[in-house]
Amino acid sequence: MATFQSYPSLLSQQFAQSLVMEFMGVMLFQLLGGSAAAGWGAPVNGMALVVLIYTTADISGAHLNPAVSISLSMAGFFPVLHCIMYVLFQIVGAIFGALILSQLVPGMSIGMGDGGAGCFDRGMIPSNVTDAQIFWWEFFMTFTLISCVYNCCLGKPGHGSFTPLAVGLALFASAGSGGQFTGGSLNPARVLGPAAVFGCGANVTWLYVGGQCLASICAMAVFGLVSHLGPYHPRTSTKTFELMTNEAGFVWINGQAPLRLQTIGQDQDLKSFSQRQRDI
């Protein structure tokens, strides 16, 4: 019986297909969300996320956000190497989405600086909003989003096919509140993509990405405390599968079983845990 193989090899066709879907999903998310009409940012982004999660979930798990991928990896629900590749393709997808916007939105041009379509910069932030307020609003909004992902998808009893709707509503609610102060990014790729294309937000990009990454860590810590860590986390795998420390680290990094366990039928719990993550 195969073990520790809920995730395909990094060199497999299946994983390549997952990367393509993460790229396309974030590219379209950047395109749709970054071109929302004034006052429609929160609903457009929320609805776009629902549609794109339903579109990509069966193939890639529909992370569509580096903060989600990083958090799930730290919690042991997603192998580290897979996470690195997902984050890379998500950011590249956002860059391509911003490139498309630079050609489709009148008045936009590559390298134009602040004010580019989908940019998060001082030009769209109220003048009385401080750096600390940007950081902490992005933290709490992203924390809300990722907590919804954890508890709807990985917690018990879960919400099945309603998860994309719940996650989209979490984005809608967050962006509809704190979005008035920061624009409501909640996604490092959505910040870095237009920054790379338009050269915008040089003095605030780190506030967005920093707050979002801290939120991914805190959401992971809270879920691990109130529920459980994932099967790839060393704390879980050393106990459940009686792995040595170096073997547990190997599993966490690449999601594959040590050779001595590849024919041992001990992985039913692991596969059931991982299947929930695949259903985001």
Side-chain angles (χ1 to χ4, degrees), residues 237-255:
S237 60
T238 52
K239 294 179 179 179
T240 304
F241 306 103
E242 299 180 350
L243 300 181
M244 294 182 290
T245 301
N246 62 323
E247 291 176 329
F250 178 84
V251 167
W252 194 14
I253 290 172
N254 67 14

Side-chain angles (χ1 to χ4, degrees), residues 52-67:
L52 293 170
I53 290 176
Y54 275 118
T55 301
T56 61
D58 285 345
I59 300 175
S60 72
H63 293 195
L64 307 179
N65 187 331

